[in-house]
Amino acid sequence: MDPPEPLTILIAAYNEEAALPLLHPRLRAVLDGLDRPARVLYVDDGSRDRTWQVLCEIAQDDSRVALLRLSRNFGKEAALTAGLDRITTGAVLILDADGQDPPELIPTFVAHWQEGYDDVHGTRLEREGEGWFKRASAHAFYRVIGRLSRTPIPRDTGDFRLLSRRSLDGLARLRERGRFMKGLFAWVGYRQLAVPYHRHPRVAGRSKFGFWKLWNFALDGITSFSTAPLRVATYLGLATALAAFVFGVFTIGKTLLWGDPARGYPTLATLIVFLGGVQLIALGVIGEYLGRLYLEVKQRPLYLVEDWRPEAAESANSQAEPATLEV
Ligand code: UDP
Ligand code: MG
């Protein structure tokens, strides 16, 4: 019989010095109970607090822990990509560092993977400890992108998921710079399964996603997976032209019937401002896409690595890779 495929737990951490010491013991207990070789890969996404020191301490007393440190904060999507790029064998399970995704569900995910699913993802039943605004905006976002995207993106699903080897290989081929991971996972396809779960509050520390970050994230998601807003600009233009035509006919009729006592300054002013607004909106929409196109063509690496420490259990028999690997 083939040896069981290994599993890597991937965790991106940015300023999580308080949460990591609470999370790791829970992970450890879960890994001890698994029927296969497993390791944890922590990616320090350029933290400014003691996250890296905390991670080094964790790695010191657990030989299954590998560490990757990026040269600065590149954002969660890039940090996850950096980690995924280091996983060359077996499957991966992605988890948040703050304990919101319970590690105790890992065996359930693994069981579904063994049944033949390639992408087992957690779907949030509710979000404890998050304000009404975040809940409402997340709810709205998943519905909007669900309408607009040609790739069906599962609702209320975060990055908490297990990906099989072939899903990972598929994902590795998507090197776009605008990385909306939830969409990329969905694009890969294969056999997907949603596992409903209760999302817990953060164990410690605070959320890294404030209003503006979430807003920009939503724009990135929509523009990466849909060109519908560009079409909206076309329809907006058509609708305005039609309205202008109707208004023109109305004005001519009015003038013929009742003459024209040279009025119409307010109408003119309103029309100019209205048309200017419509044009600026359309330009803005084009600009959103153009800006992203600009970022894509520059072909910068997605991240830079400052330090790579494979798990002690592995490095005994494998050669250390150079520390400045990129892309
Ligand atoms: N994270 C990261 N880089 C960032 C921001 C966040 O690696 O620039 C990590 C963070 O440490 C956590 C996960 O992404 O493990 C989710 O972040 P957070 O809990 O702040 O988001 P929320 O759950 O509030 O949406
Ligand atoms: Mg969180």
Side-chain angles (χ1 to χ4, degrees):
M1 222 183 82
D2 291 340
E5 249 191 289
L7 179 70
T8 303
I9 314 292
L10 172 60
I11 299 175
Y14 176 54
N15 294 348
E16 300 285 6
E17 60 177 3
L20 289 168
L22 299 172
L23 178 74
H24 194 72
R26 286 166 68 189
L27 265 176
R28 226 181 151 138
V30 173
L31 295 195
D32 288 339
L34 283 184
D35 56 347
R36 61 192 58 250
R39 64 168 183 167
V40 188
L41 168 54
Y42 287 104
V43 181
D44 176 5
D45 185 15
S47 298
R48 292 161 180 272
D49 63 357
R50 292 190 65 256
T51 297
W52 181 250
Q53 285 86 331
V54 169
L55 286 175
C56 289
E57 283 160 25
I58 290 176
Q60 232 151 35
D61 38 83
D62 192 341
S63 63
R64 296 169 298 190
V65 173
L67 302 180
L68 184 65
R69 187 185 197 183
L70 303 187
S71 65
R72 64 171 176 84
N73 178 243
F74 281 91
K76 184 182 182 189
E77 320 281 307
L80 287 180
T81 308
L84 292 172
D85 288 344
R86 297 277 157 161
I87 303 171
T88 46
T89 51
V92 66
L93 193 145
I94 302 169
L95 209 68
D96 272 2
D98 57 7
Q100 288 201 279
D101 308 324
E104 292 71 25
L105 268 178
I106 293 176
T108 314
F109 279 40
V110 169
H112 290 306
W113 168 42
Q114 290 310 294
E115 285 161 18
Y117 288 100
D118 293 285
D119 177 341
V120 185
H121 49 259
T123 298
R124 299 180 272 247
L125 286 171
E126 86 280 303
R127 300 163 161 247
E128 279 178 58
E130 288 178 319
W132 68 267
F133 183 75
K134 181 150 187 178
R135 282 191 247 186
S137 52
H139 182 87
F141 170 69
Y142 283 110
R143 268 127 200 103
V144 168
I145 198 155
R147 279 282 174 93
L148 295 183
S149 167
R150 287 194 186 178
T151 314
I153 295 173
R155 284 182 182 185
D156 302 318
T157 300
D159 297 324
F160 182 29
R161 67 181 69 219
L162 188 151
L163 296 174
S164 72
R165 190 65 243 165
R166 64 175 179 169
S167 286
L168 259 174
D169 289 339
L171 198 62
R173 297 179 56 188
L174 304 178
R175 301 311 293 184
E176 59 208 72
R177 263 108 265 264
R179 299 191 75 72
F180 179 64
M181 296 299 274
K182 299 176 214 314
L184 300 183
F185 295 137
W187 185 91
V188 168
Y190 296 127
R191 298 190 61 201
Q192 311 207 347
L193 181 75
V195 178
Y197 77 107
H198 295 275
R199 187 148 165 98
H200 299 281
R202 238 179 193 279
V203 288
R206 45 196 291 259
S207 171
K208 314 296 175 305
F209 289 88
F211 173 76
W212 279 113
K213 221 166 155 186
L214 279 176
W215 171 252
N216 287 326
F217 183 64
L219 284 186
D220 277 341
I222 291 169
T223 48
S224 319
F225 276 84
S226 167
T227 49
L230 285 173
R231 223 165 306 134
V232 168
T234 316
Y235 293 133
L236 210 62
L238 281 176
T240 328
L242 190 73
F245 179 74
V246 171
F247 185 66
V249 170
F250 168 75
T251 313
I252 292 171
K254 204 176 71 163
T255 313
L256 289 178
L257 286 178
W258 293 294
D260 183 18
R263 269 189 311 220
Y265 169 73
T267 326
L268 213 60
T270 315
L271 277 180
I272 291 174
V273 172
F274 174 69
L275 279 180
V278 170
Q279 284 172 356
L280 283 180
I281 292 173
L283 269 182
V285 172
I286 298 173
E288 289 291 330
Y289 285 89
L290 192 66
R292 283 169 177 81
L293 199 64
Y294 179 53
L295 292 181
E296 290 297 332
V297 294
K298 279 199 277 197
Q299 290 284 311
R300 287 184 182 161
L302 297 174
Y303 56 84
L304 287 181
V305 171
E306 173 164 340
D307 206 345
W308 164 237
R309 304 189 181 182
E311 64 277 22
E314 184 207 55
S315 56
N317 49 27
S318 82
Q319 266 196 326
E321 287 177 59
T324 48
L325 261 186
E326 59 189 90
V327 182

